[in-house]
Structure formats: C-alpha cells, structure tokens
Amino acid sequence: MGGGDGWEPAAPGTAGPEGVARIALTAAATELLRLLREQHGPLMFHQSGGCCDGSAPMCYPAGEFRTGSSDALLARLDVEGVREPVDFWMSADQFARWQHTHLTVDVVPGRGSGFSLEAPEGVRFLIRSRLLTEEERAALGG
C-alpha cells in the first residue's frame, strides 16, 4: 500500500451547505479505505485530539468505537468503491479548537501506536489541515 505525499488531489467528503466539505480524502486514503472495507466491513474514524497518536485519525469497524455526547460527527464521507458512508467523529473539545479548519485525511508510511485498522498495512492515517476560507466558513455557519 503506497502512502500519499500529502498534496495529491483530495476527494471531498460529504458536502455541507453550498457544496462545501469540511473533510477530504487523498487518493491514497481512498485506496486504503477500500482495502480496509473489504477486510473489516463498514468503517468509521474517530480523532480524539489526545497526545501521541491520539491526534491522528483512528479507523475502526463502524460502531466499534463508542461515541457519545463528548464527540461531534463532522462528516459522513462518501468513499468511491465503499458502499456506505464512513463517519468521521472528533472529540467535541478538539472540534471547538479546529472548527475553522479544513481537514484532509492522508496516508503515510510507518506504523502508529494506536489500534487503528491500517497499522498492519505498514502505513498510518494522518490529518493535513488548512484554515477554511471566508466563503467556506460562511457556508458552514462559522
């Protein structure tokens, strides 16, 4: 499984108002999600914002990570080649700090130290970010 370079074209996640997406996927992340879907069934992401790998998005079988009132659902990602959307959750505390940020899920070589499904593949998911434009913030209500 090849890793992304971080700047390859990103596919948008589920678009919000006026076609604005808060989260996108690189081609490498899309390819890896298709592979993980074949191996594990429906998927989800959670990003806690903790230290170490807690600041990287963790991929789990859908429903395996229990979300609650301290979590925010940022997107239901439409992934080409995956039947169902991949929910992307983030701790509400972290989202409060990142609410003005566009996130791109990418893949790089190396193993994280978490329980994310991609670890056995020798790669790990990571987030690349940029500030939302004024237009994007307005469309997303921020």
Side-chain angles (χ1 to χ4, degrees):
M1 176 104 273
D5 65 3
W7 300 110
E8 56 195 86
T14 300
E18 300 179 31
V20 174
R22 184 175 295 282
I23 300 177
L25 302 168
T26 64
T30 298
E31 180 183 341
L32 181 55
L33 286 168
R34 281 194 295 263
L35 174 70
L36 295 175
R37 170 59 175 90
E38 288 175 19
Q39 294 173 350
H40 303 282
L43 304 169
M44 69 178 288
F45 278 109
H46 187 273
Q47 184 161 344
S48 69
C51 69
C52 308
D53 278 349
S55 58
M58 299 289 160
C59 185
Y60 302 102
E64 180 92 2
F65 185 94
R66 297 197 56 166
T67 57
S69 62
S70 63
D71 298 298
L73 178 61
L74 272 59
R76 303 196 81 212
L77 302 170
D78 292 322
V79 181
E80 185 179 338
V82 174
R83 280 175 262 202
E84 60 285 310
V86 176
D87 290 350
F88 191 104
W89 293 86
M90 182 180 283
S91 71
D93 288 346
Q94 182 172 2
F95 180 63
R97 292 185 297 273
W98 286 25
Q99 63 185 321
H100 301 295
T101 307
H102 179 273
L103 308 174
T104 299
V105 180
D106 198 3
V107 177
V108 293
R111 287 184 52 135
S113 61
F115 297 103
S116 197
L117 291 175
E118 78 279 5
E121 304 300 321
V123 294
R124 62 186 178 93
F125 287 111
L126 63 78
I127 291 291
R128 299 190 189 275
S129 63
R130 64 168 173 79
L131 289 177
L132 293 169
T133 65
E134 291 295 326
E135 295 80 16
E136 289 170 324
R137 279 202 318 237
L140 292 168

